[in-house]
Amino acid sequence: MRKTFATTLFLASTSLSTFANASECGTVTIADMSWNSATIIANIDRFILEHGFGCDAELVPGDTMATGTAMIEKGQPDIAPEFWSNAMKSALDKGVEEGRIRYAGATLTDGGEEGFWVPAYMVEKDPSLATIAGIKANAKLFKHPEDPEKSAFMICPSGWNCQITTTNLYQALNLADDGFDLIDPGSGAGLSGSIAKAYERKEAWFGYYWAPTAVLGKYNMVKVDFGSGIDEKHFKECITQDDCLDPKPTMFPPSAVDTVVTEKFAARAPEALAYLNARAFKNAQMNELLAWMEDEQADGEYSVEHFLTNYEDTWSQWVDSATAKKIKKAVSEL
């Protein structure tokens, strides 16, 4: 009788503990950014936090600048799973100093890669096109879609922070003097579609892109060398700023890609925070996921099942064995 009563007490306390953990975690808002790697990670986090940690996790639309500002000023959303933190480093660091947010670990352990690119088939014909001097000397190759007197440089879509950096570098490299005009593709799909279209037709293309992405995994592109090296200090203090008055040429430094969380979330959900601290991807692995996502025309939610089913050796390292069992059970019920 004592054993039964003790067992009952143990089960009751365990249930209360589990309930307490879920209650502490509570409702968690996760920024679902507008590019595929970010939306995959956001959906993975939502599933794992919900089924592994008992959080009431939900996705909210996200954008680098808007999300970062909202987290610092309003404390929402709770989590930004893939934050290219160079984009607003000074503001994020200030938010950390003020105890509003914190970095919860590297999302991409290799960092992100940004640059100006041309198709490899162009460089194979003329190796000088791997340099900015060669690009400028052959500006007429890059036909403007509307003005035959100008050349086309594909910039980041409006609202993306990389439009600030690419515009500043466009000015620093004096591309306007060589006839290049900024072309806004209108969206991420428009930007990637312009590369795909150029490749299909073996046409000239020159513009900004980043990795890891399915596009750079699928299409062989060459990063253009500015001949400047990397001036990380100038890049952070001027090139990333909307009011950069005297931009100078510099290659993009490797981009820190972090998980950013609010301090309130970190304080109330330490177990969930530990998962986010451990959760990280290699670029090659992310390229695989992105290529699969594109080939299958899968959205972020559908991609979660693929990842959790086929990459168990990866994600099971991010959580303890008991939590991993809960997640596996939830996957089996999909």
Side-chain angles (χ1 to χ4, degrees):
M1 185 70 173
R2 286 181 182 177
K3 184 175 179 181
T4 303
F5 182 67
T7 302
T8 301
L9 283 177
F10 172 76
L11 292 173
S13 64
T14 301
S15 298
L16 286 172
S17 175
T18 302
F19 177 79
N21 287 337
S23 178
E24 288 168 8
C25 185
T27 299
V28 180
T29 49
I30 305 169
D32 184 1
M33 304 294 199
S34 57
W35 56 94
N36 283 347
S37 58
T39 200
I40 287 176
I41 298 170
N43 277 274
I44 290 170
D45 286 350
R46 182 199 61 76
F47 191 95
I48 288 178
L49 290 176
E50 179 179 331
H51 296 285
F53 297 93
C55 306
D56 181 12
E58 61 178 284
L59 302 183
V60 296
D63 177 87
T64 300
M65 299 300 285
T67 296
T69 301
M71 291 179 76
I72 294 166
E73 296 182 355
K74 301 178 181 179
Q76 285 289 331
D78 295 298
I79 305 168
E82 186 187 316
F83 206 107
W84 291 57
S85 51
N86 282 351
M88 51 185 303
K89 184 68 172 172
S90 58
L92 292 174
D93 287 348
K94 184 178 180 181
V96 171
E97 290 175 8
E98 294 176 349
R100 297 172 182 268
I101 59 171
R102 72 165 68 177
Y103 296 105
T107 305
L108 300 177
T109 55
D110 302 322
E113 183 179 16
E114 298 175 272
F116 293 178
W117 308 78
V118 292
Y121 53 76
M122 296 188 71
V123 177
E124 290 170 4
K125 290 182 179 179
D126 182 355
S128 76
L129 292 173
T131 69
I132 198 65
I135 294 290
K136 296 171 83 171
N138 294 277
K140 291 296 183 182
L141 292 174
F142 304 94
K143 297 179 181 179
H144 194 286
E146 299 175 356
D147 189 343
E149 299 300 316
K150 294 183 179 180
S151 302
F153 171 68
M154 297 299 294
I155 195 173
C156 265
S158 296
W160 290 27
N161 192 72
C162 51
Q163 189 171 89
I164 295 173
T165 56
T166 49
T167 298
N168 283 332
L169 288 172
Y170 165 85
Q171 294 172 352
L173 295 166
N174 298 313
L175 289 174
D177 293 347
D178 295 283
F180 282 98
D181 191 24
L182 297 172
I183 307 296
D184 187 334
S187 65
L191 183 60
S192 60
S194 69
I195 295 176
K197 180 180 177 182
Y199 240 85
E200 289 169 3
R201 302 180 180 185
K202 290 296 184 285
E203 294 176 342
W205 190 94
F206 173 48
Y208 168 89
Y209 218 75
W210 75 98
T213 54
V215 168
L216 292 188
K218 186 174 182 179
Y219 302 110
N220 190 9
M221 303 289 284
V222 175
K223 187 192 292 186
V224 176
D225 188 350
F226 298 165
S228 61
I230 298 173
D231 185 341
E232 190 164 353
K233 184 174 186 294
H234 180 69
F235 185 88
K236 290 181 178 179
E237 294 179 356
C238 191
I239 298 300
T240 61
Q241 306 303 311
D242 198 23
D243 58 354
C244 179
L245 300 178
D246 186 24
K248 295 178 174 61
T250 171
M251 297 292 284
F252 288 84
S255 298
V257 184
D258 301 301
T259 298
V260 178
V261 302
T262 62
E263 196 60 46
K264 289 181 179 179
F265 167 78
R268 78 170 188 266
E271 293 181 356
L273 178 66
Y275 152 71
L276 294 172
N277 284 330
R279 191 262 291 120
F281 298 83
K282 301 287 287 183
N283 282 358
Q285 186 180 61
M286 183 54 66
N287 281 333
E288 287 181 3
L289 287 170
L290 294 172
W292 178 87
M293 189 178 187
E294 185 173 283
D295 290 343
E296 297 295 321
Q297 297 184 343
D299 60 13
E301 185 174 1
Y302 182 62
S303 299
V304 171
E305 183 177 359
H306 171 78
F307 174 77
L308 294 176
T309 301
N310 294 281
Y311 292 82
E312 184 178 333
D313 288 347
T314 296
W315 65 259
S316 62
Q317 301 301 310
W318 303 338
V319 297
D320 61 32
S321 58
T323 303
K325 287 180 181 179
K326 294 179 188 177
I327 296 167
K328 286 178 66 175
K329 182 176 185 297
V331 173
S332 70
E333 295 172 352
L334 289 175

